[in-house]
Amino acid sequence: MIFSKEYVGYLARQTVKQLMAEKMIHSEKPAVLNERVAEGMIEELSLEDRINDEVRVILEAFQDDMRKTGASYPEMFKKVKAELARKYKAVL
């Protein structure tokens, strides 16, 4: 993830604060809401990391075939990552 968890927590607090100020949401327990928003943001922001890990596992399984055919690892990484992003309907 490109942001620290502390920064994501800050973003979540500011988002909740702004939404409450604009009366778009209401909560009796803003601390709980801040925590839930932060968890959701962390989950979404870490999606690319999880996709990258899955790509590495896939390419490791096909490592011998790639060597035999002379396929470029970086090129294959990009292709598999794009395919998984499409599969998960992720915007990276």
Side-chain angles (χ1 to χ4, degrees):
M1 182 168 54
I2 58 175
F3 300 112
S4 69
K5 289 187 179 185
E6 293 80 21
Y7 184 67
V8 173
Y10 168 77
L11 288 175
R13 287 189 304 277
Q14 292 301 313
T15 301
V16 169
K17 180 180 171 183
Q18 188 69 27
L19 290 172
M20 290 180 83
E22 295 293 326
K23 300 188 185 316
M24 297 179 84
I25 60 172
H26 173 73
S27 176
E28 298 293 324
K29 300 178 182 177
V32 174
L33 184 58
N34 287 337
E35 186 178 319
R36 288 187 179 167
V37 170
E39 288 172 4
M41 292 173 97
I42 288 171
E43 179 73 21
E44 192 64 32
L45 291 169
S46 64
L47 176 62
E48 185 172 7
D49 294 338
R50 291 193 311 275
I51 288 175
N52 287 343
D53 291 342
E54 190 172 341
V55 170
R56 286 184 195 97
V57 169
I58 290 169
L59 291 182
E60 188 176 301
F62 290 100
Q63 189 173 3
D64 291 334
D65 292 336
M66 288 173 53
R67 229 181 268 130
K68 289 176 187 174
T69 60
S72 165
Y73 185 89
E75 184 179 315
M76 290 302 295
F77 191 94
K78 286 180 190 176
K79 287 182 180 183
V80 173
K81 184 176 178 177
E83 193 61 37
L84 287 178
R86 210 171 300 122
K87 174 185 171 187
Y88 294 128
K89 297 178 182 172
V91 178
L92 303 178

